[in-house]
Amino acid sequence: MKLKKVIFSLGIVAVVLSCATNPFTGKKTLAFVGNDQLFPSAFAQYNQVLTENKVITGTSDADMITRVGQRIAVAAERYLNANGFQGYLDDYKWEYTLIESEQVNAWCMPGGKIAFYTGILPIAQNETGVAAIMGHEVAHALANHGQQRMSAAYIQQGLAVAGNVALAKDQQALGIFNQSYGIVSNVAGMLPFSRGHETEADKIGIYLMAIAGYNPDEASVLWERMKANSGGQAPPEFLSTHPSNDSRIQNLRSLSVKAKAEAKKYGVNSFRPIN
């Protein structure tokens, strides 16, 4: 009973502190660390990454990353302003960097700091493919996914401590708890949480790329190339931080129609050619 009371109390605290609002879903989200703390830390980490890697500037690829990033940022601002979130991006410091690396990766830190690795460009294949990736990564930042994951990790750690305190006098029960808690909390909690973020970023991202004038049909095609590049090497979906490639491809295909309809609200009736 003591453990249940502690867990319940922590749950109440979590609800009280969940004061951020996802501008795309309208839902309350975990926000134990505010942007006033999160953004400066993210900016410092970003600068550190840039000092430790070879940054590419002045090339057509580097220019493309900046161009696409700026268009996605404008699309995001148009969407947010139209939906009652004027000023949401005031503290964002957009920056778009191409880094020389074989990693098939791209990311956007809280506050708008974006990095693309050259290793992902052959899979992106074209500017519209880059836009699909950019929209997805920017969506993570706009929806405060980093903030939510950090908050969820605090809860996970807090519950582990609470369990150890509550079961301190029962060594057998404590042993069982410590052996199982990490696995259960990850499989039943953290991993579904992360997969939900990926699915949400796919939806937001495909909307943003369409509003920015890029054909959303390319998003699912991009993930077909991602699947081919992975060689089918992926853990079962329930053990992964990401949805399966097949799930994403199917979801993005169905979202493309909705993204085109959303783009029309902003006067976008045709898209840039895919080349």
Side-chain angles (χ1 to χ4, degrees):
M1 285 299 294
K2 184 185 291 185
L3 177 58
K4 290 182 179 179
K5 288 180 180 179
V6 172
I7 293 174
F8 179 76
S9 297
L10 285 173
I12 293 297
V13 171
V15 171
V16 171
L17 294 177
S18 297
C19 56
T21 300
N22 184 321
F24 296 91
T25 66
K27 296 179 180 178
K28 294 294 184 181
T29 59
L30 296 172
F32 292 178
V33 180
N35 287 341
D36 58 338
Q37 294 176 275
L38 193 60
F39 283 12
S41 175
F43 296 166
Q45 291 178 49
Y46 185 78
N47 290 335
Q48 183 67 27
V49 169
L50 299 190
T51 62
E52 295 173 351
N53 291 274
K54 182 178 179 180
V55 173
I56 298 176
T57 60
T59 67
S60 58
D61 283 340
D63 291 344
M64 176 180 62
I65 296 301
T66 298
R67 179 172 63 250
V68 174
Q70 289 173 340
R71 288 172 176 168
I72 294 292
V74 169
E77 187 163 22
R78 292 184 69 192
Y79 179 94
L80 291 163
N81 287 346
N83 287 277
F85 287 89
Q86 294 87 352
Y88 188 86
L89 299 175
D90 284 354
D91 294 327
Y92 273 62
K93 307 295 182 185
W94 295 106
E95 192 170 348
Y96 319 94
T97 303
L98 180 62
I99 294 174
E100 185 174 292
S101 171
E102 294 180 357
Q103 291 185 57
V104 179
N105 198 17
W107 40 265
C108 178
M109 282 189 166
K113 300 296 186 179
I114 296 163
F116 265 68
Y117 294 91
T118 54
I120 203 170
L121 295 182
I123 300 171
Q125 209 170 85
N126 51 61
E127 185 166 322
T128 306
V130 169
I133 298 168
M134 185 78 72
H136 174 90
E137 298 304 333
V138 167
H140 278 306
L142 296 178
N144 299 317
H145 287 164
Q147 183 185 59
Q148 292 178 54
R149 284 194 298 272
M150 188 179 298
S151 300
Y154 287 157
I155 292 175
Q156 185 185 37
Q157 294 166 10
L159 292 177
V161 172
N164 276 265
V165 171
L167 298 172
K169 294 181 179 180
D170 187 338
Q171 290 302 306
Q172 183 177 3
L174 180 61
I176 295 172
F177 175 82
N178 284 330
Q179 287 177 1
S180 61
Y181 177 75
I183 296 173
V184 172
S185 64
N186 277 317
V187 173
M190 299 299 283
L191 293 179
F193 192 60
S194 180
R195 289 194 297 272
H197 283 172
E198 292 299 323
T199 300
E200 189 171 270
D202 281 345
K203 181 177 181 179
I204 298 168
I206 198 172
Y207 279 32
L208 292 179
M209 72 177 291
I211 296 170
Y214 294 100
N215 193 332
D217 289 342
E218 184 68 9
S220 62
V221 179
L222 166 72
W223 275 99
E224 289 173 0
R225 295 196 291 268
M226 289 284 195
K227 178 183 177 181
N229 184 71
S230 71
Q233 300 299 312
E237 185 170 272
F238 78 97
L239 291 177
S240 176
T241 57
H242 290 57
S244 69
N245 288 323
D246 289 337
S247 294
R248 298 185 90 153
I249 292 167
Q250 183 177 356
N251 186 46
L252 287 167
R253 283 175 182 163
S254 65
L255 283 171
S256 182
V257 175
K258 297 177 182 178
K260 290 176 182 177
E262 187 69 22
K264 285 185 178 181
K265 298 178 185 178
Y266 299 87
V268 180
N269 296 301
S270 61
F271 302 104
R272 295 179 177 85
I274 300 172
N275 50 39

